[in-house]
Amino acid sequence: MIKNLELNKKLWLVTAVLSLLLSLIGLINQSIYSKVVSQEILPGVISQDLITFIISIMLFIIVFKVKKKEIKIQIIALSFLAYIFYAYSIYAIEQLYNSFYLFYLLLASISFWSIVVALANYDNDCFEEIKLNKYIRYLTITFLILIPFLFYFLWGSQLLPLMKSGQKQEFTFSIYILDLVFVLPAMLITAVMLLKNKALAYLMAPVLFFKGFTLLFSVALGSFLRPLYNVAFSAEEAFFYLILSLSFLALALLNFQQLKIKK
């Protein structure tokens, strides 16, 4: 799928090692967040570091195992890069000015450009045909359209009062920026490309679904960790994100299972 895979793997390796070290430091020494994150937000940060740590290990393994013809493994690698970009962009935008802030910026940058380089090296000639079960395809298109409109409504209903009052909320404006600028448009563009049977869309859909699962699951996990940090637990919020994350996982697995690639 990706031409010049060795160059891409070097970028993935740097990303994996840096995110592995930073997330591990955050898990072991949670005091690095004491001056930059409130107690209420800390469970979410720790859960994100935990998921990042796991994903970094998996990306590290992929770097040394993946072969050029293993298209589905490369798709998983791209989804991990998308998660790392999102996670450390949150830290960068939310101004977590601790001793590692410059590394947060570096990781947000290198993960983003790793995705760009991978897509720039996308090789349509590596397979003769790519297709998806028509029912899964229609389900995928529907989900890729409905989810953006759901979150456009949710984020819009939260943004309008903030725009009126001029209030700033911790660990929300980064989500608005990343979702409204990157994630939701990417879903809609992929849906349109799927309607037109573009090969790249069949590869990007599971990337977006895996990325959605990992991110939303970290949010759900953070909600369940709240009692450990003496923060009020919201069952509605926790189970909303858990169910939504599992929906993304189910769609990712369905796409993976039903995706037929003729090489």
Side-chain angles (χ1 to χ4, degrees):
M1 182 181 92
I2 298 176
K3 295 181 290 186
N4 202 354
L5 183 59
E6 292 305 313
L7 170 62
N8 282 269
K9 284 165 65 175
K10 290 175 183 176
L11 293 172
W12 300 355
L13 179 61
V14 173
T15 303
V17 171
L18 280 176
S19 60
L20 178 67
L21 292 174
L22 287 177
S23 58
L24 182 60
I25 291 170
L27 290 170
I28 294 174
N29 183 18
Q30 298 179 15
S31 63
I32 65 171
Y33 300 122
S34 61
K35 294 182 180 180
V36 292
V37 174
S38 68
Q39 185 68 19
E40 183 180 356
I41 299 297
L42 185 58
V45 174
I46 298 305
S47 68
Q48 182 168 291
D49 278 349
L50 179 58
I51 299 299
T52 303
F53 178 72
I54 296 170
I55 281 177
S56 300
I57 293 174
M58 296 173 71
L59 182 59
F60 186 85
I61 294 171
I62 286 174
V63 168
F64 292 100
K65 295 289 186 179
V66 68
K67 302 295 188 296
K68 187 173 183 178
K69 293 185 178 181
E70 294 177 324
I71 295 174
K72 291 185 178 181
I73 304 299
Q74 295 174 43
I75 291 173
I76 294 174
L78 287 179
S79 70
F80 290 166
L81 289 170
Y83 170 85
I84 292 170
F85 164 68
Y86 196 104
Y88 284 101
S89 292
I90 290 176
Y91 288 4
I93 296 170
E94 295 290 347
Q95 304 172 38
L96 268 65
Y97 292 144
N98 57 25
S99 302
F100 301 97
Y101 182 75
L102 292 179
F103 288 102
Y104 300 156
L105 289 175
L106 176 61
L107 261 175
S109 175
I110 196 170
S111 56
F112 174 77
W113 288 109
S114 294
I115 297 170
V116 171
V117 170
L119 294 178
N121 283 275
Y122 163 67
D123 185 7
N124 197 35
D125 296 328
C126 69
F127 47 80
E128 293 182 17
E129 184 182 13
I130 184 167
K131 60 182 180 179
L132 189 65
N133 175 288
K134 67 176 183 178
Y135 299 109
I136 303 301
R137 176 171 169 265
Y138 292 139
L139 178 63
T140 297
I141 292 170
T142 302
F143 203 81
L144 287 171
I145 292 173
L146 289 180
I147 287 297
F149 280 103
L150 170 64
F151 278 95
Y152 278 133
F153 173 77
L154 289 175
W155 295 163
S157 64
Q158 294 177 21
L159 276 170
L160 290 175
L162 295 176
M163 291 165 62
K164 185 176 181 180
S165 65
Q167 180 185 359
K168 294 182 180 180
Q169 292 184 346
E170 184 184 18
F171 269 75
T172 53
F173 59 87
S174 60
I175 307 298
Y176 299 145
I177 292 169
L178 292 168
D179 281 358
L180 296 175
V181 175
F182 293 104
V183 179
L184 302 183
M187 287 185 169
L188 291 174
I189 291 169
T190 303
V192 172
M193 290 175 66
L194 273 176
L195 285 169
K196 295 182 177 181
N197 276 317
K198 298 294 184 181
L200 183 59
Y202 289 99
L203 306 175
M204 289 306 300
V207 169
L208 292 169
F209 290 147
F210 269 121
K211 177 264 168 196
F213 161 67
T214 51
L215 177 71
L216 292 167
F217 187 77
S218 78
V219 175
L221 180 60
S223 297
F224 285 108
L225 289 178
R226 284 185 174 185
L228 299 177
Y229 293 85
N230 297 316
V231 178
F233 171 69
S234 171
E236 290 182 0
E237 177 182 314
F239 283 102
F240 170 76
Y241 284 109
L242 179 61
I243 292 170
L244 192 57
S245 71
L246 293 177
S247 300
F248 272 94
L249 177 61
L251 278 165
L253 294 176
L254 280 172
N255 271 261
F256 246 51
Q257 183 186 21
Q258 297 297 324
L259 189 64
K260 306 300 181 184
I261 301 172
K262 185 178 179 182
K263 300 178 182 178

